[in-house]
Amino acid sequence: MYSAEREHAPNLPEPAPQSTPAMKRSDALADSCGKLQAKIDAGRLRAENEKAEAACIEPGSVSTITASRMAKLAARAPVAMPDYCYDLATGNGAWYYTRKDACAISVWTLKVLDVRTGRQTGQLEYLQADLI
């Protein structure tokens, strides 16, 4: 019954990808590095078990989105994402969607801080690709 219905179903053209209305990134992550720094400055964090560093994450700079980085992301993605994801992504976490799927690419910065001094001792920027 279902296969017969599919045979007679019209072929509809694929719509152009659309973006959801502007959304803020998670407030929980918006200022995690600022909150960590405040705890360090207030003396509320101590080195434990010889571990004197703590990490935080915050939205990264969207200026890090380049064609070469997108190509590298596409090559490493465990699941193939539609081309429009890479073509439209700005790195701000905005979702783009069609009838069949939705995707977003975000830029994040992971910072490592010394809890004794408050100085930044490391940093990593990365791209996060989401597909549903």
Side-chain angles (χ1 to χ4, degrees), residues 40 45-47 50-53 113-119 121:
I40 292 170
L45 287 180
R46 303 271 187 260
E50 299 180 24
K51 295 179 184 177
E53 295 177 316
L113 304 174
D114 185 314
V115 297
R116 298 166 299 189
T117 64
R119 289 186 42 227
T121 59

Side-chain angles (χ1 to χ4, degrees), residues 31 47 57 63 69 83 96:
D31 193 30
I57 189 170
S63 66
R69 288 190 81 186
D83 287 341
Y96 295 91

Side-chain angles (χ1 to χ4, degrees), residues 15-71:
Q18 300 177 34
S19 178
T20 58
M23 296 185 306
K24 290 177 108 178
R25 293 192 191 191
S26 170
D27 288 337
L29 294 176
D31 193 30
S32 73
C33 290
K35 291 175 184 173
L36 177 61
Q37 188 68 54
K39 286 180 180 180
I40 292 170
D41 292 344
R44 295 192 327 221
L45 287 180
R46 303 271 187 260
E48 293 181 17
N49 300 327
E50 299 180 24
K51 295 179 184 177
E53 295 177 316
C56 59
I57 189 170
E58 63 186 12
S61 170
V62 296
S63 66
T64 60
I65 293 287
T66 63
S68 66
R69 288 190 81 186
M70 293 303 253

Side-chain angles (χ1 to χ4, degrees), residues 67-118:
S68 66
R69 288 190 81 186
M70 293 303 253
K72 290 176 185 175
L73 176 65
R76 290 189 323 259
V79 176
M81 292 178 64
D83 287 341
Y84 73 83
C85 295
Y86 301 106
D87 295 339
L88 299 174
T90 61
N92 66 355
W95 282 86
Y96 295 91
Y97 62 93
T98 66
R99 287 189 311 234
K100 297 180 181 180
D101 47 39
C103 61
I105 297 178
S106 303
V107 179
W108 295 99
T109 300
L110 175 89
K111 293 182 178 181
V112 180
L113 304 174
D114 185 314
V115 297
R116 298 166 299 189
T117 64

